[in-house]
Amino acid sequence: MNKYESKTDRPVLFISGGLLVAFVVASFINLDFVANMVDWAFAFAVKYFGAFWQLLLLGTFFIALFLAFSKYGKIRLGGMNKPEIGYFKWLAMIMTTLLAGGGVFWAAAEPMYHFLDRPPLFTGVESATESAIIPAFSQSYLHWGFLAWSILGTLGTIVLMYAHYSKGMPLKPRTLLYPILGEKIMRKSALGTTIDAFSIIAVAAGTIGPIGFLGLQAAYGMEALYGVPNTLMTQILIIIGVVAIATVSAVTGLRKGIQFLSNLNVIITLILMVAILILGPGGFIINTFISSSGVHLQEFFGMATFRGDSSWLGSWTIFFWGWFLGYGPMMAIFIATITRGRTIRELVLAVSITAPIVTAFWFTTVGGAGIFYEMAQPGVISEALNTSGMPAAMIAITEQLPLNVIVGPLFLLVTILFVVTTGDSMAYTISVAITGDGHPPKVMRVFWAVIMGAVASVLLMISEGGVEAIQSFIVVTAIPVSLLLLPTFWAAPKAAKLLYAEQFGEEAPAENVEVNLADIKAENETVQNKINEIKTS
């Protein structure tokens, strides 16, 4: 039971909401100035934090694996003896929340980008040839694989579930520091407020970007498939529809709307995957997946620690790491609310192993079909990609498939659902972080769903450059968040030791308990008074 009263943290709400509004107002006044400032801050983040982020993700992955396969792996989290949510539903909510726009558009476009312009680590490979296929997918697997998933739901989730369900701490980003700093981090303080506010800003920016790009991308798809004019009004109407669905889903909560949409999203994705394997180049996709997985594992450390081309790193690896880091604390909160009753081993295997493998196969299915058709007819996919960007790649691929009149609309639907499930889950999780309660007020959930859609719409009204600016802003907000996630290297193993002692009876290490001298003095006085009473009587 949470021993801290659940209530709206007004300073965190005003700071996080206020800075987002300030970003939009400044963009209205002078978008070029905002874009230049964000570009400068982005370059600063890449230059001075890029290497740190690479090591941070590597460390998180391997510490999580150690906990999972050590004796601590059998610890059950959340104070329950069996899982609260079934495995498929649980994994579906985790996967659809992270993938967002990456679920379709990056799956279609990123392998093609790396195929047309091979990653710098793979020297000696000629771009746009058969030899570039495996490196293209190996690099994509790194960006959406083991490291990316681990930073989102392993060490941070373990810390939060220990602090919340065992010690009654609220579900807030600052709680990640509880095993190290004790209860003093929960008090009203500049440090705690800053941690919560910047974590909310980072995940809001990371969600606003995909919502804005969905407006652009879905409008392009509607025009290509149905002839609907691709105008600003179409884009905004799409965002309004997405926000309306996300709002209803967030209000109905984890067990209804969010769970239903996540399951629907995964089912349609599986149908599309099977359809492409049967109707498209199934043999090529399977062979590419197996070969690319081998090269990915072989070159894993080289790709994960590559520091040779700063410009390329800033556009790809470091950009993705910043984006995912920004989601780190909030995804940890979200996963903590749906993981009760599961063991540390189940959590790590699902998030760090199963989800990355499924993601890699999905990327190979969609992107592999694109590269197959591009190899057969150069330009059939790449021209659309280079001319009109990521949404064009998806449409170009579906046009090459049999039954494209059915497959095309299903791809458009699943793309919208990926972003909706991210929007509803993050509106819910931000509300949890502000109130510290696993069941935040519905009005709070509605507010954040609407405000993220409104910001995305306003940025589109300014120009596409507004949405692009907030995409870069995501990486900037990851700087303070990454500093918050670093202590989980120590906090998660410490939480695991304490939980192991509780569940299996070993002597527990000393916790970081703050001593209140005034309370001790008062207790001593009470005891002395009792002694005096006894003597008198």
Side-chain angles (χ1 to χ4, degrees), residues 97-120:
T97 299
L98 168 68
L99 283 174
V104 176
F105 290 109
W106 282 108
E110 184 176 351
M112 182 63 69
Y113 277 127
H114 295 321
F115 169 73
L116 298 172
D117 185 12
R118 57 101 179 145

Side-chain angles (χ1 to χ4, degrees), residues 4-10 172 188 433-437 444:
Y4 285 84
E5 183 182 355
S6 299
K7 60 181 180 180
T8 300
D9 192 327
R10 296 185 184 278
K172 291 174 175 281
K188 293 181 179 179
I434 290 175
T435 61
D437 183 9
M444 180 75 72

Side-chain angles (χ1 to χ4, degrees), residues 247-248 250-253 256 427-428 431 435 439-449:
T247 301
V248 173
V251 166
T252 55
K256 295 181 180 178
Y428 164 83
S431 302
T435 61
H439 301 281
K442 292 181 179 180
V443 66
M444 180 75 72
R445 306 179 215 178
V446 172
F447 169 78
W448 278 103

Side-chain angles (χ1 to χ4, degrees), residues 76-229:
R76 288 206 174 270
L77 299 167
M80 299 182 71
N81 293 324
K82 62 180 182 178
E84 188 177 23
I85 299 174
Y87 188 84
F88 178 83
K89 294 178 180 179
W90 175 60
L91 190 61
M93 285 194 283
I94 292 172
M95 292 201 64
T96 54
T97 299
L98 168 68
L99 283 174
V104 176
F105 290 109
W106 282 108
E110 184 176 351
M112 182 63 69
Y113 277 127
H114 295 321
F115 169 73
L116 298 172
D117 185 12
R118 57 101 179 145
L121 179 69
F122 295 93
T123 56
V125 173
E126 185 178 349
S127 299
T129 64
E130 188 174 349
S131 64
I133 297 174
I134 304 304
F137 283 101
S138 300
Q139 191 69 57
S140 300
Y141 294 173
L142 177 80
H143 292 156
W144 295 86
F146 304 124
L147 304 184
W149 282 97
S150 293
I151 200 67
L152 293 164
T154 55
L155 303 186
T157 302
I158 293 169
V159 172
L160 285 171
M161 294 193 76
Y162 162 72
H164 180 66
Y165 295 110
S166 295
K167 298 301 176 182
M169 299 298 108
L171 284 170
K172 291 174 175 281
R174 70 178 74 182
T175 304
L176 288 168
L177 298 180
Y178 169 74
I180 295 174
L181 298 181
E183 293 193 23
K184 61 185 176 183
I185 191 61
M186 311 318 303
R187 295 176 182 169
K188 293 181 179 179
S189 65
L191 177 61
T193 299
T194 301
I195 288 171
D196 291 349
F198 274 96
S199 296
I200 290 169
I201 291 168
V203 79
T207 307
I208 289 165
I211 290 173
F213 276 110
L214 177 68
L216 297 171
Q217 294 161 347
Y220 178 94
M222 295 284 284
E223 184 176 51
L225 294 172
Y226 305 112
V228 176

Side-chain angles (χ1 to χ4, degrees), residues 7-27:
K7 60 181 180 180
T8 300
D9 192 327
R10 296 185 184 278
V12 171
L13 176 62
F14 292 149
I15 292 171
S16 56
L19 285 177
L20 285 174
V21 171
F23 182 91
V24 174
V25 171
S27 299

Side-chain angles (χ1 to χ4, degrees), residues 22-23 25-41 469:
F23 182 91
V25 171
S27 299
F28 252 124
I29 296 171
N30 192 335
L31 179 60
D32 289 338
F33 173 77
V34 171
N36 289 335
M37 289 297 295
V38 169
D39 287 343
W40 174 85

